Amino acid sequence: MFYVKISTIFYFLLIIPILFTGCANQEKNQDEEQEQAEDQAQKWINLLDAEHADHWRGYNGETLPPGWTINNGMLYFDTELKLEQDYTGGSDVIYGGQKFENFELSVEWKIPEGGNSGIFYHVNEGHKSPSGTAPEYQLIDDEHYADIHDLVGYNSQFGAEHPELLQDWQMTGADYAMHPVEIEDKVLHPTGEWNTSKIVVAPGRTEHWLNGKKLLSFDPGSEDWQKRKNSGKWDGYPDYGKYNSGYIAFQDHGSPLWFRNVKIRPIE
């Protein structure tokens, strides 16, 4: 019995330091994970909070255009729905506080039935509008847009087989007039409900996401990208895609719009 007790005591003398070391390492790992999470949170910039909301303004302007309002962390545009065949341009807005090159952008948005808008990135001023120079993440009513608007005149110029319908490069999540959505199980919530879009721009890779699913990925400036640019809508736009850094912008395409939780994280 005495031998067993001595062995037991010796065992515990050996194991206690190991237990303390394991606990210390676990606490250290937890602290490191918490620090990493806090560091990641600090990198996100809320573009609609009290610190940043004042930096929104019209493209080539100094203030928000009529109809655009920021209130309670939401940016919204109040207007009557205009028909596509009557659209001649709108009052796009930009976040003018900072230009971004590589980043991850997250935006919650909703549009009404027949609505249309877009998220531009790498926007530079001095042009008529962001369209024609900056890539666009398309936001549109996939289901009802073609029923409400006359698309024939616009789409016929691109040789569409069915110009009365929305084309794949015009649907929500597409890299407008360049890259259509690549997946078949896209999740787009009905008009009037919130959706969450994400854009990731990294060296040699741009991704469009919608409601947690990656829709497409492409390499800006690649041979495939150049081929698409030179054979479609942007063939006559020499400045399209020329900028590697710029502002974030939202498009006024003649419909009410709502945006919230507009957050961006620069990627180094």
Tab-separated table of all heavy atoms in Angstrom, residues 79-108:
chain	number	residue	atom	x	y	z
A	79	THR	N	-37.844	58.287	-55.075
A	79	THR	CA	-38.217	58.772	-56.405
A	79	THR	C	-39.352	57.909	-56.946
A	79	THR	O	-39.623	56.829	-56.423
A	79	THR	CB	-37.018	58.716	-57.372
A	79	THR	OG1	-37.361	59.345	-58.604
A	79	THR	CG2	-36.606	57.282	-57.647
A	80	GLU	N	-39.997	58.386	-57.962
A	80	GLU	CA	-40.986	57.588	-58.665
A	80	GLU	C	-40.274	56.647	-59.626
A	80	GLU	O	-39.241	56.994	-60.210
A	80	GLU	CB	-41.948	58.492	-59.444
A	80	GLU	CG	-42.802	59.398	-58.569
A	80	GLU	CD	-43.828	58.621	-57.772
A	80	GLU	OE1	-44.275	57.557	-58.259
A	80	GLU	OE2	-44.170	59.067	-56.653
A	81	LEU	N	-40.807	55.446	-59.799
A	81	LEU	CA	-40.214	54.489	-60.724
A	81	LEU	C	-40.304	55.010	-62.158
A	81	LEU	O	-41.371	55.388	-62.634
A	81	LEU	CB	-40.933	53.143	-60.629
A	81	LEU	CG	-40.371	52.024	-61.505
A	81	LEU	CD1	-38.995	51.593	-61.025
A	81	LEU	CD2	-41.324	50.819	-61.520
A	82	LYS	N	-39.156	55.054	-62.821
A	82	LYS	CA	-39.096	55.501	-64.216
A	82	LYS	C	-38.913	54.284	-65.123
A	82	LYS	O	-38.245	53.319	-64.754
A	82	LYS	CB	-37.956	56.492	-64.414
A	82	LYS	CG	-38.106	57.776	-63.602
A	82	LYS	CD	-36.922	58.705	-63.828
A	82	LYS	CE	-37.085	59.997	-63.035
A	82	LYS	NZ	-37.110	59.767	-61.571
A	83	LEU	N	-39.473	54.358	-66.301
A	83	LEU	CA	-39.365	53.250	-67.237
A	83	LEU	C	-37.999	53.244	-67.914
A	83	LEU	O	-37.428	54.310	-68.196
A	83	LEU	CB	-40.476	53.328	-68.280
A	83	LEU	CG	-41.900	53.175	-67.736
A	83	LEU	CD1	-42.911	53.327	-68.869
A	83	LEU	CD2	-42.081	51.834	-67.023
A	84	GLU	N	-37.517	52.050	-68.203
A	84	GLU	CA	-36.205	51.885	-68.836
A	84	GLU	C	-36.109	52.660	-70.136
A	84	GLU	O	-35.094	53.312	-70.425
A	84	GLU	CB	-35.928	50.403	-69.092
A	84	GLU	CG	-34.634	50.106	-69.826
A	84	GLU	CD	-33.405	50.360	-68.978
A	84	GLU	OE1	-33.451	50.084	-67.776
A	84	GLU	OE2	-32.395	50.831	-69.546
A	85	GLN	N	-37.162	52.625	-70.937
A	85	GLN	CA	-37.143	53.285	-72.246
A	85	GLN	C	-37.086	54.809	-72.126
A	85	GLN	O	-36.774	55.498	-73.095
A	85	GLN	CB	-38.354	52.866	-73.084
A	85	GLN	CG	-39.703	53.122	-72.437
A	85	GLN	CD	-40.223	51.929	-71.644
A	85	GLN	OE1	-39.437	51.195	-71.066
A	85	GLN	NE2	-41.528	51.737	-71.641
A	86	ASP	N	-37.347	55.334	-70.913
A	86	ASP	CA	-37.290	56.785	-70.701
A	86	ASP	C	-36.038	57.206	-69.943
A	86	ASP	O	-35.841	58.401	-69.690
A	86	ASP	CB	-38.531	57.247	-69.921
A	86	ASP	CG	-39.828	56.962	-70.664
A	86	ASP	OD1	-39.797	56.988	-71.912
A	86	ASP	OD2	-40.850	56.704	-69.997
A	87	TYR	N	-35.200	56.245	-69.563
A	87	TYR	CA	-34.025	56.553	-68.744
A	87	TYR	C	-32.960	57.262	-69.565
A	87	TYR	O	-32.560	56.796	-70.634
A	87	TYR	CB	-33.450	55.258	-68.159
A	87	TYR	CG	-32.188	55.449	-67.359
A	87	TYR	CD1	-32.232	56.002	-66.090
A	87	TYR	CD2	-30.956	55.067	-67.880
A	87	TYR	CE1	-31.081	56.167	-65.341
A	87	TYR	CE2	-29.797	55.218	-67.142
A	87	TYR	CZ	-29.866	55.771	-65.872
A	87	TYR	OH	-28.712	55.940	-65.141
A	88	THR	N	-32.492	58.380	-69.072
A	88	THR	CA	-31.442	59.153	-69.762
A	88	THR	C	-30.250	59.442	-68.850
A	88	THR	O	-29.386	60.247	-69.194
A	88	THR	CB	-32.010	60.480	-70.293
A	88	THR	OG1	-32.573	61.224	-69.196
A	88	THR	CG2	-33.083	60.245	-71.349
A	89	GLY	N	-30.204	58.809	-67.701
A	89	GLY	CA	-29.126	59.063	-66.746
A	89	GLY	C	-29.695	59.491	-65.414
A	89	GLY	O	-30.845	59.955	-65.343
A	90	GLY	N	-28.909	59.320	-64.364
A	90	GLY	CA	-29.404	59.641	-63.035
A	90	GLY	C	-28.369	60.341	-62.185
A	90	GLY	O	-27.296	60.730	-62.661
A	91	SER	N	-28.706	60.486	-60.909
A	91	SER	CA	-27.831	61.187	-59.965
A	91	SER	C	-27.147	60.170	-59.067
A	91	SER	O	-27.592	59.891	-57.950
A	91	SER	CB	-28.640	62.185	-59.131
A	91	SER	OG	-29.785	61.563	-58.561
A	92	ASP	N	-26.078	59.570	-59.576
A	92	ASP	CA	-25.323	58.571	-58.827
A	92	ASP	C	-24.608	59.227	-57.643
A	92	ASP	O	-24.256	60.413	-57.685
A	92	ASP	CB	-24.299	57.895	-59.731
A	92	ASP	CG	-24.930	57.272	-60.968
A	92	ASP	OD1	-26.108	56.885	-60.892
A	92	ASP	OD2	-24.244	57.175	-62.004
A	93	VAL	N	-24.370	58.435	-56.597
A	93	VAL	CA	-23.681	58.961	-55.421
A	93	VAL	C	-22.436	58.132	-55.132
A	93	VAL	O	-22.372	56.943	-55.447
A	93	VAL	CB	-24.592	58.979	-54.173
A	93	VAL	CG1	-25.762	59.930	-54.380
A	93	VAL	CG2	-25.096	57.593	-53.817
A	94	ILE	N	-21.450	58.762	-54.520
A	94	ILE	CA	-20.203	58.090	-54.166
A	94	ILE	C	-19.873	58.323	-52.703
A	94	ILE	O	-20.313	59.304	-52.098
A	94	ILE	CB	-19.018	58.580	-55.028
A	94	ILE	CG1	-18.669	60.047	-54.702
A	94	ILE	CG2	-19.304	58.429	-56.506
A	94	ILE	CD1	-17.372	60.521	-55.327
A	95	TYR	N	-19.115	57.389	-52.137
A	95	TYR	CA	-18.485	57.647	-50.859
A	95	TYR	C	-17.148	58.302	-51.162
A	95	TYR	O	-16.218	57.655	-51.660
A	95	TYR	CB	-18.274	56.354	-50.058
A	95	TYR	CG	-17.495	56.607	-48.782
A	95	TYR	CD1	-18.090	57.228	-47.700
A	95	TYR	CD2	-16.144	56.277	-48.693
A	95	TYR	CE1	-17.388	57.511	-46.546
A	95	TYR	CE2	-15.423	56.546	-47.537
A	95	TYR	CZ	-16.046	57.163	-46.466
A	95	TYR	OH	-15.333	57.449	-45.331
A	96	GLY	N	-17.073	59.600	-50.909
A	96	GLY	CA	-15.907	60.371	-51.318
A	96	GLY	C	-14.823	60.500	-50.278
A	96	GLY	O	-13.876	61.273	-50.463
A	97	GLY	N	-14.924	59.764	-49.179
A	97	GLY	CA	-13.950	59.913	-48.112
A	97	GLY	C	-12.634	59.212	-48.352
A	97	GLY	O	-11.614	59.571	-47.750
A	98	GLN	N	-12.607	58.233	-49.234
A	98	GLN	CA	-11.390	57.447	-49.433
A	98	GLN	C	-11.506	56.624	-50.698
A	98	GLN	O	-12.580	56.123	-51.017
A	98	GLN	CB	-11.181	56.522	-48.230
A	98	GLN	CG	-9.928	55.678	-48.255
A	98	GLN	CD	-9.797	54.781	-47.030
A	98	GLN	OE1	-10.526	54.968	-46.047
A	98	GLN	NE2	-8.897	53.817	-47.092
A	99	LYS	N	-10.411	56.486	-51.416
A	99	LYS	CA	-10.360	55.569	-52.549
A	99	LYS	C	-9.857	54.210	-52.064
A	99	LYS	O	-9.057	54.137	-51.130
A	99	LYS	CB	-9.440	56.112	-53.651
A	99	LYS	CG	-10.004	57.310	-54.412
A	99	LYS	CD	-9.108	57.692	-55.573
A	99	LYS	CE	-9.728	58.805	-56.410
A	99	LYS	NZ	-8.889	59.150	-57.590
A	100	PHE	N	-10.327	53.164	-52.715
A	100	PHE	CA	-9.938	51.808	-52.327
A	100	PHE	C	-9.411	51.058	-53.548
A	100	PHE	O	-9.952	51.176	-54.642
A	100	PHE	CB	-11.137	51.058	-51.751
A	100	PHE	CG	-11.716	51.691	-50.514
A	100	PHE	CD1	-12.770	52.580	-50.612
A	100	PHE	CD2	-11.185	51.411	-49.264
A	100	PHE	CE1	-13.316	53.167	-49.480
A	100	PHE	CE2	-11.714	51.997	-48.128
A	100	PHE	CZ	-12.790	52.880	-48.243
A	101	GLU	N	-8.376	50.269	-53.333
A	101	GLU	CA	-7.799	49.438	-54.398
A	101	GLU	C	-8.244	47.991	-54.210
A	101	GLU	O	-9.087	47.486	-54.946
A	101	GLU	CB	-6.276	49.544	-54.390
A	101	GLU	CG	-5.625	48.730	-55.500
A	101	GLU	CD	-4.110	48.894	-55.531
A	101	GLU	OE1	-3.558	49.638	-54.694
A	101	GLU	OE2	-3.473	48.263	-56.412
A	102	ASN	N	-7.686	47.306	-53.226
A	102	ASN	CA	-8.091	45.939	-52.902
A	102	ASN	C	-8.921	45.982	-51.622
A	102	ASN	O	-8.533	46.623	-50.640
A	102	ASN	CB	-6.870	45.048	-52.719
A	102	ASN	CG	-6.022	44.955	-53.978
A	102	ASN	OD1	-6.559	44.776	-55.067
A	102	ASN	ND2	-4.713	45.081	-53.832
A	103	PHE	N	-10.038	45.274	-51.628
A	103	PHE	CA	-10.965	45.413	-50.506
A	103	PHE	C	-11.994	44.295	-50.509
A	103	PHE	O	-12.157	43.558	-51.486
A	103	PHE	CB	-11.697	46.757	-50.599
A	103	PHE	CG	-12.489	46.916	-51.870
A	103	PHE	CD1	-13.789	46.421	-51.978
A	103	PHE	CD2	-11.940	47.539	-52.979
A	103	PHE	CE1	-14.511	46.548	-53.154
A	103	PHE	CE2	-12.664	47.678	-54.162
A	103	PHE	CZ	-13.952	47.166	-54.248
A	104	GLU	N	-12.718	44.208	-49.391
A	104	GLU	CA	-13.928	43.404	-49.293
A	104	GLU	C	-15.052	44.345	-48.892
A	104	GLU	O	-14.961	45.027	-47.861
A	104	GLU	CB	-13.750	42.293	-48.258
A	104	GLU	CG	-14.977	41.407	-48.103
A	104	GLU	CD	-14.769	40.272	-47.104
A	104	GLU	OE1	-13.604	40.057	-46.697
A	104	GLU	OE2	-15.758	39.620	-46.743
A	105	LEU	N	-16.088	44.414	-49.697
A	105	LEU	CA	-17.213	45.321	-49.465
A	105	LEU	C	-18.469	44.499	-49.206
A	105	LEU	O	-18.780	43.566	-49.958
A	105	LEU	CB	-17.441	46.217	-50.684
A	105	LEU	CG	-18.698	47.107	-50.667
A	105	LEU	CD1	-18.552	48.230	-49.638
A	105	LEU	CD2	-18.963	47.704	-52.053
A	106	SER	N	-19.198	44.828	-48.158
A	106	SER	CA	-20.456	44.168	-47.847
A	106	SER	C	-21.566	45.216	-47.794
A	106	SER	O	-21.415	46.253	-47.140
A	106	SER	CB	-20.358	43.438	-46.499
A	106	SER	OG	-21.583	42.831	-46.154
A	107	VAL	N	-22.680	44.933	-48.477
A	107	VAL	CA	-23.785	45.894	-48.581
A	107	VAL	C	-25.111	45.158	-48.450
A	107	VAL	O	-25.335	44.148	-49.127
A	107	VAL	CB	-23.765	46.632	-49.942
A	107	VAL	CG1	-24.937	47.609	-50.034
A	107	VAL	CG2	-22.447	47.353	-50.164
A	108	GLU	N	-25.991	45.651	-47.589
A	108	GLU	CA	-27.373	45.185	-47.563
A	108	GLU	C	-28.222	46.165	-48.383
A	108	GLU	O	-28.071	47.376	-48.244
A	108	GLU	CB	-27.898	45.089	-46.136
A	108	GLU	CG	-27.247	43.978	-45.319
A	108	GLU	CD	-27.869	43.849	-43.937
A	108	GLU	OE1	-29.085	44.073	-43.795
A	108	GLU	OE2	-27.131	43.546	-42.986
